[in-house]
Amino acid sequence: MLTIQEMLTKIKNLNRDIDYVYKQLQQMKAQIDGLRATDYSACHVDGGMPTDIADRIHQIEKRRLELIALQKELYEFLETINDILDCMPDQNYAIVIRQRYLFHENWRDIASMIGVSREWLRKKIHPIAVKKFEEELARVGIVGKMK
């Protein structure tokens, strides 16, 4: 069972992995522009960087499928998290968790959304929101209770 910190780290890592694979995919697509068609009269050499268009297209397709799998995993995970946030009794706590951890909003913007000061949000509301969110996650079996 995940702790709340592991769960938040998982979201962060999935987002980072998606960005990394997407950038690689874009680079590979840009590199393909300078390639020529396969010359079948040349000697075939194994290893190293693939040099013909067919090899590059194959690599791009593998990366594209990897990107789709990562996005699917993230979206399924976020869908579960959002369902739990939607069921929280106090939606102000849900707003704090959703905006801070899913949308990476800053404290000032979140505070203005719920009508409190930034310091009050960080010192009073945020710890309670995390605790309530953790309780909801534990109730449905996603995270274990933190000690």
Side-chain angles (χ1 to χ4, degrees):
M1 215 178 272
L2 296 172
T3 66
I4 194 162
Q5 187 60 43
E6 291 168 337
M7 182 207 58
L8 296 173
T9 300
K10 181 177 179 174
I11 292 170
K12 179 181 170 184
N13 289 343
L14 281 170
N15 279 315
R16 187 192 68 226
D17 292 346
I18 287 169
D19 288 344
Y20 178 73
V21 172
Y22 180 77
K23 286 176 185 172
Q24 281 188 324
L25 191 58
Q26 294 304 318
Q27 288 175 346
M28 293 168 79
K29 286 179 179 180
Q31 290 172 349
I32 208 169
D33 290 338
L35 296 177
R36 296 176 294 162
T38 304
D39 180 4
Y40 291 105
S41 65
C43 294
H44 179 72
V45 178
D46 288 332
M49 290 290 295
T51 57
D52 68 356
I53 292 174
D55 290 338
R56 293 291 173 110
I57 289 173
H58 178 71
Q59 278 190 334
I60 287 171
E61 185 61 19
K62 280 176 49 177
R63 281 294 192 203
R64 190 183 69 78
L65 293 174
E66 182 181 346
L67 180 63
I68 289 169
L70 286 169
Q71 288 173 329
K72 182 180 178 193
E73 182 181 358
L74 177 64
Y75 293 148
E76 288 172 356
F77 192 67
L78 291 179
E79 184 177 355
T80 301
I81 299 303
N82 276 313
D83 289 345
I84 292 167
L85 288 170
D86 290 342
C87 294
M88 286 181 71
D90 188 335
Q91 282 301 298
N92 280 335
Y93 297 145
I95 289 169
V96 170
I97 297 298
R98 184 177 280 123
Q99 297 302 318
R100 183 68 182 167
Y101 295 105
L102 302 185
F103 300 131
H104 310 291
E105 288 287 339
N106 62 48
W107 293 113
R108 185 177 12 102
D109 292 343
I110 299 169
S112 69
M113 283 179 204
I114 61 174
V116 297
S117 72
R118 185 177 73 82
E119 288 305 310
W120 185 260
L121 171 65
R122 286 184 62 232
K123 292 181 179 176
K124 298 293 182 180
I125 296 175
H126 178 258
I128 296 169
V130 170
K131 182 180 178 199
K132 296 290 185 187
F133 181 55
E134 184 178 17
E135 289 171 1
E136 287 295 313
L137 291 171
R139 185 179 62 78
V140 297
I142 292 179
V143 300
K145 284 287 218 179
M146 290 181 70
K147 295 181 176 159

